Amino acid sequence: GIDNDVLITPSSSTQYCVSLYAKQGTATKFDLYVFFTGVAVRGTRFSYTWSNDTITTNGSDGGGADVISKGRYALGNGWYRFWFVVSDSTLGTNNILKYRLYPASRDTGPVGSTIFWGAKAEIGSYPTRYISNAGITLSDNLIDTSGTASQKLTKKLIKTPL
């Protein structure tokens, strides 16, 4: 998968929204694993299945992060914006929010592709407007994570600090 770590202030009440843009390649689904760490790991995996337009919550670590909401909306030309809102209400002691993208499925490994763009984490219960902070255009940031190439792509997604 492709990882991104964001330093956060430990809190049991703060909600964090992880959002991204995605377009289907050859994969039938993709996974996003969101977790808190630093003291004790608490994470949840979100899976999106393209064929039946379904977002599910699968598996957890350390009891799982608290899932507040999840959703997606169509942008046209096959692009969607997805968001996943989580909190760490049980512990509230972790100081890192981490998210990891799997372009196919975490269960099947790097089989197929999904195109991702503009992944970010922010404080809040809904994704805000995306503003590139790198001075580059959409076409410069498209990542086709086909096959084993996904293992070679590290931190190419734009990071937006909280």
Side-chain angles (χ1 to χ4, degrees):
I2 302 168
D3 288 6
N4 196 11
D5 295 1
V6 181
L7 291 176
I8 61 173
T9 301
S11 170
S12 61
S13 61
T14 304
Q15 294 180 2
Y16 298 93
C17 181
V18 176
S19 64
L20 60 101
Y21 296 86
K23 183 174 184 175
Q24 184 177 16
T26 59
T28 58
K29 67 188 261 183
F30 73 84
D31 291 346
L32 172 68
Y33 182 46
V34 180
F35 56 103
F36 295 92
T37 188
V39 175
V41 175
R42 294 195 66 228
T44 299
R45 179 172 36 133
F46 300 93
S47 296
Y48 179 73
T49 304
W50 293 100
S51 62
N52 62 8
D53 189 29
T54 304
I55 300 172
T56 56
T57 304
N58 301 329
S60 64
D61 288 324
D66 300 308
V67 178
I68 309 301
S69 66
K70 58 189 183 292
R72 69 110 187 111
Y73 54 89
L75 299 169
N77 197 28
W79 282 96
Y80 294 86
R81 186 167 190 197
F82 294 86
W83 71 90
F84 310 89
V85 180
V86 297
S87 71
D88 187 16
S89 68
T90 301
L91 294 176
T93 56
N94 287 310
N95 66 343
I96 298 171
L97 172 67
K98 185 172 210 152
Y99 55 95
R100 181 177 296 152
L101 290 166
Y102 292 89
S105 170
R106 181 175 146 173
D107 299 329
T108 60
V111 178
S113 64
T114 297
I115 301 168
F116 296 114
W117 184 78
K120 70 175 186 170
E122 59 189 311
I123 294 173
S125 59
Y126 194 78
T128 59
R129 185 173 151 226
Y130 182 82
I131 300 171
S132 174
N133 61 359
I136 44 186
T137 63
L138 172 65
S139 60
D140 292 331
N141 288 294
L142 293 177
I143 300 173
D144 184 345
T145 53
S146 303
T148 59
S150 67
Q151 303 306 314
K152 298 176 186 174
L153 296 171
T154 57
K155 302 211 182 222
K156 286 196 175 182
L157 299 175
I158 296 173
K159 292 193 282 187
T160 304
L162 298 174

